[in-house]
Amino acid sequence: MLSNLAARDVETLVHPYTNLATFRETGPLVLERGHGVWVYDTDGRPYLEGMAGLWCTALGYSNEELVAAATEQLSRLPFAHLFSGRSHDPAIELAEALKELMPVPTSKVFFTSSGSEANDTQVKLAWYMNNALGRPRKKKIIARQRGYHGVTVVTASMTGLPANHADWDLPLPGFLHTACPHHYRFAEPGETEEAFSSRLADELEALILREDPETVAAFVAEPVMGAGGAITPPAGYFAKVQAVLDRYDIRFIADEVICGFGRLGTWFGSEALDMRPDTISFAKAVTSGYMPLGGVSIDEPLYEALLAESRKLGTFGHGTTYSGHPVACAVALKTLEIYRRDRIVEGVAGKAPLFQARLAQLRGHPLVGEARGLGLIGGIEIVADRASKAQFDPKAGVAARCVAFAQAEGLIVRFLAGDRIAVCPPLVIQPDEIDTLFDRLARALDRTAAWIAAEGLEAVPVPAR
Ligand SMILES: Cc1ncc(COP(=O)(O)O)c(C=O)c1O
C-alpha cells in the first residue's frame, strides 16, 4: 500500500528518468530533510546520500551559510536580470570569481540555470562564432557514445544514450558520436589503455576526415563520464584526442557539469585529466545544488566574434529570464568562498585514496566486473561472468535491484544503463562515512547475488563489439 503522499505523487507527477509504468506500483521515495551527507524520508529513516543528490550537493545538506546567503539575497533583491545591459552585484562578483578560477583562458562568463542550458548555449555559440568568422559550413558537433550533456533538443542530440534518442526523433542531423572511452568494455583483448586511447583518437580523426573537417565545429566531452556509466577515461586519452582536435581547428567543449568544483580532487576535471579545452560548461556544484545555476566560459576569440555579430545585428540574441539569477549567484559566491576557505578541493584529494581503495576492494566481489573511479567518483559494473564479462539480461534489472537493496541498507546510489552503479557522495563526506558507504554497498551486492541465485538468472552471451 502506498502512503498518502506517495499515492498523491503517483496521481500528479511525471518523474524524470523513471519507468513510469512500474513506478505506479513502487511509488516514490519521499525525502523530507537532510543533514551533512544524510537525508531522511518521511518516516524519519536516514540514508547516506551516496550520489550527492544528482552529483551536486557537494557541501552536503543543511549548510547554514548557504541558507543565509540565499535568504539575505532574497530579502535584498530577489530578482533582477541581465537583459538590455541591466546588472546586479552578485552576477558581477560571481563572474569575476569564476574568471579567476577557470583553468582555461576566460574573457567573460555567460550564466544559465542548468547544465542542459549551458551545453545548449555552447552549441549555439559555436555556430554563431563560425558564422561571424565566415565559415558557415563548420557546424557539426561530435560527442561520444554514452556521453551525457542534457535533455534539450540539442543537448539530448549530443548525449550518446539510447533512452535519449529512441522515439524522441533524435539526434538531430549534424550531431555525431564517436566511440566511448570505456577500456573495460570496449578494448580489444590484451589492448593496453594507451593503445586503446590511440585507437579511439584514430577513430575520431577518421570520423572528422569522413565528414570533412571544414564542417566540424566542436567536440564535447565530460572529463569523467557521469550518467553514461561513471566511466573514467583510459590513460593518455585526452592528450591524444586533443592532438586530433588541434589538427582540424575544432573547438573543444569540456562539459564540467559533474567534475567541476573539486569532484576529482582538482578544481576542474580538465586539470586532472590533461585536457586543454577552449571552453567549460559548469552547473551543479557551483551552488552545491542549493540553487539552479549553470554557465559557460567565454574565451576572447569567441567574445570578439560576439562583438562583431552585435555590431552587425544590433544585439546578442540569446539569454533566459533566469540567466544570472541574483539568489543563485549569491549562493554560488558563498559556495566558492567555502570551497576556498575550508580547502574542500584539497580535502577531496586527501580523501580520494581511501575512497578509491574501498571502491577497488569491490573488485573481489563475484558480481563486480569493474570498479574504477577518480577523486570522489566511482563506477561499478555488475556482470554475470567475470571471465567473459557477460552480463545479465538487461530486462532483469540487476543493477536497479542492487540499488533497491542499497536503499534498504540506508544508502542512496544510482543505477545506470549497462548494469552500472554510480557513487558520487558529497565532497564533505568524512572517512568513517566513506567506510559506511562501501560497507552498505557491499551488503547490497551480497543481497543482489542471493536474489540472482534465487531467481536462477543466467548470463546472456557477450555482445559483439
Ligand atoms: C555532464 C553533464 N552535463 C549536463 C548535464 C545536464 O544538466 P541539467 O540536468 O542541469 O540540465 C548533466 C546532468 O546530470 C551532466 O551530468
Side-chain angles (χ1 to χ4, degrees), residues 356-368:
Q356 294 300 332
R358 289 298 318 254
L359 178 70
Q361 272 174 18
L362 295 178
R363 290 181 199 143
H365 196 281
L367 279 185
V368 174

Side-chain angles (χ1 to χ4, degrees), residues 55 114-116 119 148-150 222 255 257-258 284:
W55 332 77
S114 68
S116 294
N119 287 324
Y148 188 80
H149 305 292
E222 305 151 82
D255 182 346
V257 166
I258 286 178
K284 296 194 190 271

